[in-house]
């Protein structure tokens, strides 16, 4: 039942729908809950999983207690992410004991690794199936195999699977929408598991992307994020800069974002397109990873600090005020105190608006896991604390600069803590809290910022919403 053998029961989708109806008639839960870990690509995949499950008769619910199908969409990027996922899966054993017909599937990056499949088979007998990122469309087959043939299946697709169009995602983020444009990664940074779990780069045809964007705009999405593991190495029938220009030329009131970019693939054409198109949000996530050329080389990043600084300069020149964010890995094997100081120096000099920092985590099968000079956990922790302190200072200073200014905000949702407040984001992606009626969700508003800290801004609408 693995690696591509197709022995799905006949009429599997119809039979699953009947099964769901029979559960409903017996008073058993028929919801589907997808628990998502990891990156935005995974969040987008979860919307597809939800779309697929609802075509089989399951109705989306956030409460696993109401679910007849629980899908855990997993991440493998760091040890911590995997441990969290395993403890969540472990918690479902009790549910399964109470409800034998409950279906539990593990999806995403973890079950793309053979040692994790072995672990699921042995230690998690109540997991009914797994689907790696390239096998998501086989959900019905996996469920049918369990229900009608009594077997568990653990699907792992090819490293280079064809793109399957036509899986309608069930989007649930109000006016925000993900739009996947490419999958996989060819870069093989020495620390990273992604190329092993998500396979080689594949780009969707530009016509399919443009059509989906048009549909999203017509359906009211106001903030569309183009997604790819290396979004700017998109290579369909045109390059990323040309695709972005085409999308930015579509009519309608919306803004475009994209992530995640690789610094080596930021072309002058791309910088030019960002400079010329107001519909492209003034935000760029550009993972630096380290400020030391020696470490960047060991990471196989294929740029150096000079090149990176030059890219930042061009972006800021093309789009003054562009919000720059980054990822940093702390404690990569061989990172010395001097290397780490270079990273701090780069943060001081570039002044990112926000930095996501991670302790290096060795990943099985990646080159860096076997490198000499693994950094002691205590040293890693101490460096992380210094980095966070510096970056918090920088982000607070940048935040202060917004006080008294008016920013354009897309109202995204009602605040979780105060129903009279809405939360939204600026074009640069900064979080803003402001009082407004719920009816303003989905609107662009001008908000005057009264107070800002390192993480969020607080203000009041400059005019009443809708006026
Ligand atoms: N250890 C720590 N951080 C990692 N990242 C990727 N792989 C690892 C790893 N093995 C970080 C990188 C990447 C972000 C998504 O996760 O900074 O940009
Ligand atoms: Fe995690 Fe990478 Fe998989 Fe995203 S692609 S879920 S970051 S391992």
């Amino acid at each position: 039942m693995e690696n591509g053998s197709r022995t799905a029961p006949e009429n599997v989708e119809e039979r699953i729908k009947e099964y769901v109806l029979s559960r409903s008639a017996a008073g058993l839960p028929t919801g589907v809950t997808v628990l998502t870990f990891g990156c935005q690509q995974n969040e987008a995949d979860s919307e597809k999983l939800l779309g697929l499950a609802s075509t089989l008769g399951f109705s989306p619910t956030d409460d696993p207690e109401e679910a007849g199908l629980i899908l855990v969409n997993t991440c493998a990027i760091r040890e911590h992410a995997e441990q969290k996922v395993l403890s969540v899966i472990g918690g479902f054993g009790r549910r399964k004991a109470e409800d034998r017909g409950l279906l539990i599937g593990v999806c995403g990056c973890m079950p793309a690794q053979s040692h994790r499949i072995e672990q699921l088979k042995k230690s998690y007998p109540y997991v009914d199936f797994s689907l790696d990122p390239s096998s998501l469309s086989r959900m019905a087959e996996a469920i049918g195999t369990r229900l009608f043939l009594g077997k568990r299946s653990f699907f792992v697709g090819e490293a280079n699977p064809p793109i399957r169009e036509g899986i309608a995602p069930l989007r649930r983020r109000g006016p925000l929408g993900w739009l996947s444009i490419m999958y996989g990664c060819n870069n093989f940074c020495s620390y990273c598991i992604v190329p092993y779990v998500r396979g080689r780069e594949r780009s969707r045809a530009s016509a399919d992307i443009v059509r989906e964007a048009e549909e999203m705009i017509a359906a009211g999405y106001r903030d569309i994020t183009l997604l790819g593991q290396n979004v700017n190495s998109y290579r369909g029938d045109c390059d990323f800069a040309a695709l972005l220009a085409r999308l930015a030329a579509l009519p309608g009131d919306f803004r475009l974002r994209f992530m995640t970019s690789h610094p080596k693939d930021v072309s002058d054409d791309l910088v030019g397109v960002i400079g010329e198109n107001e519909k492209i949000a003034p935000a760029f996530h550009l993972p630096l990873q380290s400020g030391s050329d020696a470490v960047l080389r060991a990471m196989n990043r294929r740029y150096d600090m000079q090149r990176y600084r030059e890219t930042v300069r061009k972006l800021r020149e093309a789009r003054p005020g562009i919000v720059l964010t980054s990822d940093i890995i702390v404690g990569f094997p061989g990172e010395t105190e001097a290397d780490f100081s270079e990273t701090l120096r780069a943060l001081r000099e570039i002044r990112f608006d926000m930095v996501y920092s991670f302790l290096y985590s060795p990943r099985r099968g990646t080159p860096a896991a076997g490198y000499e000079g693994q950094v002691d956990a205590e040293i890693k922790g101490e460096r992380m604390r210094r980095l966070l302190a510096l970056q918090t200072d920088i982000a607070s200073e940048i935040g202060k600069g917004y006080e008294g200014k008016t920013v354009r905000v897309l109202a995204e949702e009602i605040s979780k803590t105060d129903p009279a407040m809405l939360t939204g984001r600026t074009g640069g992606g900064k979080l803003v809290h402001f009082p407004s009626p719920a009816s303003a969700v989905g609107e662009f508003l001008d908000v005057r910022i009264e107070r800002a800290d390192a993480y969020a801004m607080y203000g009041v609408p400059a005019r009443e919403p809708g006026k």
Side-chain angles (χ1 to χ4, degrees):
M1 265 339 301
E2 281 163 43
N3 304 340
S5 61
R6 285 186 185 262
T7 49
E10 298 275 304
N11 296 328
V12 66
E13 293 177 9
E14 289 312 311
R15 291 177 67 191
I16 295 171
K17 280 188 212 163
E18 282 165 24
Y19 173 76
V20 177
L21 285 175
S22 72
R23 276 182 66 88
S24 168
L28 292 165
T30 57
V32 50
T33 298
V34 185
L35 299 170
T36 309
F37 296 82
C39 62
Q40 289 77 12
Q41 194 71 59
N42 250 23
E43 289 185 24
D45 283 349
S46 287
E47 293 179 346
K48 291 188 189 129
L49 290 169
L50 215 49
L52 281 170
S54 36
T55 63
L56 299 173
F58 296 96
S59 35
T61 169
D62 290 331
D63 182 1
E65 297 292 324
E66 287 173 11
L69 170 62
I70 296 176
L71 300 168
V72 187
N73 198 9
T74 66
C75 175
I77 196 104
R78 285 171 290 275
E79 180 68 23
H80 179 67
E82 291 202 308
Q83 292 312 329
K84 222 164 55 187
V85 161
L86 288 173
S87 86
V88 166
I89 301 173
F92 290 128
R94 177 193 60 82
R95 273 295 315 281
K96 186 77 167 205
E98 291 164 1
D99 177 359
R100 304 295 307 164
L102 167 71
L103 292 156
I104 299 179
V106 176
C107 312
C109 295
M110 245 173 86
Q113 307 169 95
S114 52
H115 70 284
R116 291 301 182 193
I117 292 184
E118 289 315 309
Q119 190 177 12
L120 288 176
K121 283 184 183 167
K122 278 205 206 92
S123 310
Y124 298 84
Y126 46 85
V127 168
D128 297 295
F129 60 91
S130 74
L131 302 167
D132 81 336
S134 64
S135 310
L136 302 183
S137 62
R138 297 177 74 182
M139 186 200 298
E141 192 182 338
I143 292 178
T145 302
R146 180 70 190 140
L147 290 178
F148 312 124
L149 301 177
K151 291 191 209 149
R152 308 164 79 195
S153 39
F154 301 89
F155 288 138
V156 182
E158 317 148 46
N160 202 6
I163 290 179
R164 267 208 54 179
E165 292 292 342
I167 305 179
L170 211 149
R171 298 190 167 95
R172 302 175 85 210
R173 300 166 59 235
L176 314 178
W178 306 122
L179 203 180
S180 298
I181 68 163
M182 57 88 68
Y183 304 91
C185 175
N186 290 349
N187 288 330
F188 291 94
C189 300
S190 61
Y191 50 80
C192 189
I193 193 82
V194 170
Y196 306 91
V197 291
R198 285 193 175 260
R200 297 293 69 73
E201 281 177 11
R202 286 103 57 207
S203 293
R204 291 178 69 191
S206 63
D208 290 328
I209 298 168
V210 172
R211 192 177 318 116
E212 188 169 351
E214 284 170 337
E215 287 165 7
M216 290 172 76
I217 297 162
Y221 291 95
R222 296 280 168 264
D223 186 297
I224 298 175
T225 304
L226 311 178
L227 283 183
Q229 230 73 51
N230 273 292
V231 76
N232 60 334
S233 48
Y234 171 84
R235 255 276 154 223
D237 35 298
C238 62
D239 69 5
F240 183 59
L243 176 72
L244 202 53
R246 268 170 77 185
L247 294 170
L250 293 175
D253 195 13
F254 67 95
R255 62 192 182 196
L256 283 172
R257 308 178 181 285
F258 52 89
M259 71 187 317
T260 295
S261 302
H262 195 299
K264 76 174 169 53
D265 296 319
V266 181
S267 65
D268 287 346
D269 281 353
L270 176 56
V271 176
V273 168
I274 292 168
E276 285 157 16
N277 288 281
E278 281 294 312
K279 276 191 183 155
I280 300 171
F284 209 113
H285 184 63
L286 196 60
L288 172 64
Q289 311 299 3
S290 168
S292 149
D293 283 343
V295 174
L296 288 173
R297 253 193 319 277
M299 287 177 163
N300 191 30
R301 289 291 285 171
R302 288 178 275 171
Y303 55 83
D304 59 14
M305 278 311 295
Q306 192 189 342
R307 162 89 193 268
Y308 189 95
R309 282 194 188 95
E310 187 60 12
T311 303
V312 167
R313 188 191 60 72
K314 287 180 188 169
L315 284 169
R316 285 185 164 148
E317 193 176 285
R319 201 73 187 265
I322 191 166
V323 167
L324 294 179
T325 53
S326 202
D327 293 345
I328 299 283
I329 296 179
V330 173
F332 184 80
E335 182 188 78
T336 62
E337 177 57 32
D339 292 319
F340 180 66
S341 303
E342 296 275 299
T343 299
L344 295 182
R345 186 157 76 94
L347 297 196
R348 254 184 236 114
E349 186 191 300
I350 297 170
R351 293 176 70 79
F352 293 108
D353 290 75
M354 176 133 90
V355 169
Y356 301 87
S357 44
F358 309 101
L359 296 174
Y360 169 70
S361 167
R363 304 284 64 208
R364 189 191 285 225
T366 61
Y371 285 179
E372 285 180 13
Q374 299 286 326
V375 178
D376 198 75
E378 240 167 74
I379 296 179
K380 277 190 206 169
E382 185 262 336
R383 287 181 186 164
M384 176 64 98
R385 280 191 291 281
R386 281 155 65 199
L387 185 149
L388 289 175
L390 170 63
Q391 183 55 34
T392 307
D393 284 350
I394 294 172
S396 315
E397 284 165 21
I398 294 175
K400 291 279 163 265
Y402 282 89
E403 291 181 354
K405 297 215 166 107
T406 297
V407 292
R408 196 153 177 74
V409 175
L410 174 63
E412 290 177 10
E413 59 181 5
I414 301 167
S415 160
K416 291 184 181 73
T417 49
D418 181 350
M421 300 283 285
L422 299 187
T423 61
R425 275 173 205 274
T426 66
K430 296 195 180 255
L431 193 61
V432 185
H433 300 273
F434 52 98
S436 264
S439 58
V441 169
E443 281 185 36
F444 286 103
L445 307 172
D446 290 327
V447 176
R448 207 183 112 82
I449 301 305
E450 295 181 327
R451 188 165 65 79
D453 59 29
Y455 311 101
M457 312 205 273
Y458 305 82
V460 286
R463 272 174 265 112
E464 262 182 65
K467 301 271 159 69

